[in-house]
Amino acid sequence: MNEAILETKFSERLKEREETMCLRDCDLVGLNRAELYRRLKAVIGNSPIHQIDLPNGNILLQVNETRGLSESHYDRVFIPLLESLEEDGKIERDSDVLETSSGNAGISFAWAARKLRFNPYVFMPDYVPEPRIIETQRMAGHEQVVLIDDKKKFLKACSDAMVKHLRGNRDRVGAEGRKIWMANHSQNNIVPGFFAPIAQEARRFAGAIDYFIGGIGNGSTVLGIGEDLKRHSPDTKVIGFEPHRAATYFQRERVRWGNFTVPILGEGEAVHTEWSFHDLPGIGGSGNINMPFIERAIQDRIMDDIVPVDEKSILSTVRYNEELKPEERLGNSSLVARAIAEKMALDVRDKTFLTLAYDRTDRYGKPQYTPSK
């Protein structure tokens, strides 16, 4: 049997949530488009917020985005993004919709697209952790996940492949009476706004936020959350982080950083001048492609600092997951964000930090299958 169709712990959890929330395919039969979007949007957001005590009277608010349906912060993006594209006439039911991803976005996108009766295609690097590939294939279908083996262009190669697919299939799809379009979550200007509710939920929970620590990636969370926080409290500081081995934006303007944190967190290895492989997929993954959301966050002074981290050193020493049940243990990016907050808390007092729990540990390493029945 092909491993990709075996039940994983994630797919088992997803089935349970779909049943509890009446989002199984059989529950959605007969709904018109407006009712279908309404049903799906009703389960987005309001993630649990965990308050964690830090040194010197500081506290950390960790917004647990892994409690969403596809277990990442991208649950907040794709249903409203696809709705916007449909309202604009770019897509309609049965359209082919294309996206690139280093993992978490692809899973959320493919799940949302299938529920909304689109045909998802995902273009992703073949070097991302195997569980991300398997879960994306489960959602989109094997033939509709295109793995790109290009160790020079990285995500740029995925983008190029997506554009080539669009151009090469536009006439065929049109002749079938359907549409084809790119969702393009890393470029569409409405996407950062989908993350603003995270800042709003955190403020309702604890009031003013002093520091937001976010993984850079395509920049949508840093920009969306950061803009909202600074609109309500201009003194809030927004800190982005990248792995030492992919510190693209730190290296580009490194003299600009180091104002609110130690400029380099971890002493395990030097900050690389070029992109290379690391253990924070989706964070620092820009490689040789610039991301407009990070460009805006830097230009508009939304992001106050960038911290390159030696994630291997951090992950080998932190014990945060020991506090959690095995099925709720968090992934690498979430653990590193908390470690940065703890490091910063040593130098300030009575401040409130905000981070995200981006995903769970079974998005890394080897797939975690359920026992055979």
Side-chain angles (χ1 to χ4, degrees), residues 44-65:
I44 299 174
N46 295 309
S47 300
I49 298 177
H50 304 304
Q51 180 171 315
I52 301 167
D53 291 333
L54 298 178
N56 294 328
N58 299 295
I59 62 169
L60 169 64
L61 307 181
Q62 187 180 63
V63 183
N64 193 345
E65 293 292 286

Side-chain angles (χ1 to χ4, degrees), residues 83-101:
E83 181 182 37
S84 173
L85 293 174
E86 187 165 354
E87 289 174 345
D88 290 345
K90 302 290 195 308
I91 57 176
E92 58 191 23
R93 179 172 174 169
D94 296 323
S95 295
D96 291 358
V97 189
L98 319 180
E99 188 56 279
T100 60
S101 174

Side-chain angles (χ1 to χ4, degrees), residues 18-19 22-31 36 39 115 117:
E18 287 184 347
E19 183 174 3
C22 297
L23 293 177
R24 297 170 298 179
D25 291 342
C26 62
D27 297 318
L28 304 178
V29 171
L31 298 182
L36 183 56
R39 178 79 67 87
K115 289 297 176 182
R117 321 280 166 68

Side-chain angles (χ1 to χ4, degrees), residues 303-355:
M303 189 163 60
D304 297 285
D305 211 343
I306 296 178
V307 182
V309 296
D310 177 2
E311 80 282 1
K312 284 186 178 294
S313 174
I314 294 171
L315 295 171
S316 68
T317 57
V318 297
R319 297 290 180 265
Y320 309 138
N321 271 335
E322 294 175 2
E323 306 166 3
L324 304 174
K325 298 177 182 178
E327 65 273 15
E328 295 181 352
R329 289 176 178 167
L330 300 178
N332 293 355
S333 300
S334 310
L335 305 180
V336 168
R338 179 173 170 181
I340 295 171
E342 287 200 344
K343 178 74 171 179
M344 292 176 60
L346 298 176
D347 297 319
V348 297
R349 286 190 173 276
D350 303 321
K351 301 296 184 182
T352 299
F353 292 79
L354 175 66
T355 67

